[in-house]
Amino acid sequence: MKVLVATEKPFAAVAVEGIRKVMDEAGYELLLLEKYQSKEQLLEAVADVDALIVRSDKVDAEVINAAGNLKIVVRAGAGYDNVDLQAATARGICVENTPGQNSNAVAELVFGLAVMAVRNGYNGTSGSELKEKTLGIHAFGQVGRNVARIAKGFGMEVSALDPFCPDEVMAESGVRPVHSVESLYAGNKIVSLHIPATDATRRSVGRDLITLMPKGGVLINTARKEVIDEEGLAQALEQRPDIKYVADVKPDNADELTARFGDRVFFTPKKMGAQTSEANINAGIAAARQIVDFLNNGVDTFRVNK
């Protein structure tokens, strides 16, 4: 079996070593395509591989159709909107993610962004504390649960909205369930976004929701830029000069927002949520093990294109 790790942003060396060890033990051949400069390089590399591990790399229909032997794609991370599920399913290819492996890294970044926002970007002016502030978590998956755990350490009051998570699960974590998106935004000084980019969520967070936030509200996005209505965000920031938006995902209108709203907005230069050595290692090795388990035993626990 041939397994390709294709990463424009490579795994840490120790993660690659871990992946290689898993493949060597399984008797598989490991191929690396790192820091590639063109799609043509990826198309050539996938031609005869049985499995593919990617990070944020685009695996579209063209890539899938170029991989004649491909049986499984694993996205090392939670989000998988960079993989064309329809094209993979049409070819009978299993697509998996590695949920939970990056969750603590993303959750910690949420609080790095939160502290920076409430301290006014450390510009020398008086800010505020997170203690006793209200935090709303929009989606209570693995990342959201880690956010709640850390928030409790700050002494925050936490609520969450997630129609797919039972109220009792939230309650067990000391989190108050909220049952409407309007209530989540209106009832929390800080809202942290963790929803995936789907047909139902794309551009779902815009002016109407953001302007419901209390005075001094902070919206934190470590999810996907597609869930934000960027025009609506600009309108909300214009209408509400007390609101801030900080994100681990640079919007398409980042230059406009920065020019108009200055230090009320902040964006990391590239997606940084999973950019820790620990998350890097965890997700890469998990992807390798899932591939071996699928090819050897047919196990597809983390399949996302069922």
Side-chain angles (χ1 to χ4, degrees), residues 61-83:
E62 186 178 9
V63 173
I64 288 169
N65 290 330
N69 296 333
L70 192 62
K71 301 168 182 65
I72 180 171
V73 177
V74 180
R75 153 60 163 133
Y80 47 85
D81 52 318
N82 54 311
V83 181

Side-chain angles (χ1 to χ4, degrees), residues 40-296:
E40 285 67 30
Q41 289 176 275
L42 178 59
L43 293 173
E44 182 178 350
V46 299
D48 64 346
V49 301
D50 299 279
L52 175 63
I53 297 173
V54 295
R55 299 185 71 196
S56 297
D57 309 79
K58 296 289 185 184
V59 183
D60 60 15
E62 186 178 9
V63 173
I64 288 169
N65 290 330
N69 296 333
L70 192 62
K71 301 168 182 65
I72 180 171
V73 177
V74 180
R75 153 60 163 133
Y80 47 85
D81 52 318
N82 54 311
V83 181
D84 188 328
L85 299 187
Q86 184 175 357
T89 302
R91 282 273 318 279
I93 296 168
C94 174
V95 180
E96 297 188 6
N97 64 347
T98 61
Q101 302 299 328
N102 299 336
S103 56
N104 183 70
V106 177
E108 288 191 9
L109 181 61
V110 167
F111 287 91
L113 293 169
V115 171
M116 183 185 68
V118 299
R119 292 298 182 96
N120 301 323
Y122 313 115
N123 65 5
T125 62
S126 179
S128 63
E129 301 176 15
L130 294 178
K131 184 179 180 181
E132 297 181 352
K133 299 299 187 298
T134 53
L135 170 68
I137 301 173
H138 197 164
F140 202 64
Q142 293 293 332
V143 177
R145 295 174 199 200
N146 275 279
V147 169
R149 171 181 56 80
I150 297 170
K152 290 297 181 179
F154 276 92
M156 303 184 77
E157 298 178 20
V158 185
S159 59
L161 170 72
D162 192 328
F164 303 103
C165 179
D167 286 1
E168 53 268 27
V169 172
M170 295 184 190
E172 288 170 1
S173 299
V175 174
R176 180 175 64 87
V178 173
H179 300 108
S180 78
V181 68
E182 292 80 9
S183 296
L184 184 77
Y185 283 75
N188 289 284
K189 188 75 168 279
I190 299 171
V191 173
S192 187
L193 280 171
H194 301 290
I195 53 178
T198 66
D199 290 342
T201 63
R202 286 184 182 90
R203 294 174 53 86
S204 64
V205 179
R207 182 186 64 83
D208 290 348
L209 284 180
I210 298 169
T211 54
L212 289 175
M213 296 182 72
K215 184 175 176 59
V218 178
L219 178 60
I220 303 172
N221 183 10
T222 57
R224 291 286 189 266
K225 71 176 182 179
E226 290 84 4
V227 303
I228 297 290
D229 174 358
E230 295 181 358
E231 182 179 347
L233 170 64
Q235 293 170 353
L237 292 169
E238 181 70 35
Q239 183 178 335
R240 289 284 303 279
D242 57 298
I243 285 178
K244 297 176 182 176
Y245 177 69
V246 292
D248 175 40
V249 49
K250 198 171 184 179
D252 291 335
N253 62 343
D255 292 341
E256 174 200 346
L257 294 176
T258 301
R260 291 177 63 184
F261 306 112
D263 59 7
R264 290 172 53 207
V265 296
F266 173 82
F267 322 111
T268 55
K270 60 179 182 178
K271 196 156 179 60
M272 301 294 294
Q275 297 297 313
T276 68
S277 57
E278 295 88 349
N280 206 274
I281 295 166
N282 293 343
I285 294 176
R289 288 174 174 160
Q290 288 171 214
I291 281 174
V292 172
D293 214 12
F294 176 79
L295 293 177
N296 285 357

Side-chain angles (χ1 to χ4, degrees), residues 4-70:
L4 173 67
V5 175
T7 49
E8 287 183 286
K9 295 185 293 185
F11 286 108
V14 65
V16 175
E17 290 172 10
I19 294 170
R20 188 178 299 280
K21 182 179 178 181
V22 172
M23 295 307 167
D24 286 346
E25 290 175 352
Y28 294 176
E29 180 182 354
L30 180 67
L31 307 173
L32 295 178
L33 177 65
E34 299 180 325
K35 297 183 179 179
Y36 57 94
Q37 301 296 312
S38 69
K39 187 176 184 180
E40 285 67 30
Q41 289 176 275
L42 178 59
L43 293 173
E44 182 178 350
V46 299
D48 64 346
V49 301
D50 299 279
L52 175 63
I53 297 173
V54 295
R55 299 185 71 196
S56 297
D57 309 79
K58 296 289 185 184
V59 183
D60 60 15
E62 186 178 9
V63 173
I64 288 169
N65 290 330
N69 296 333
L70 192 62

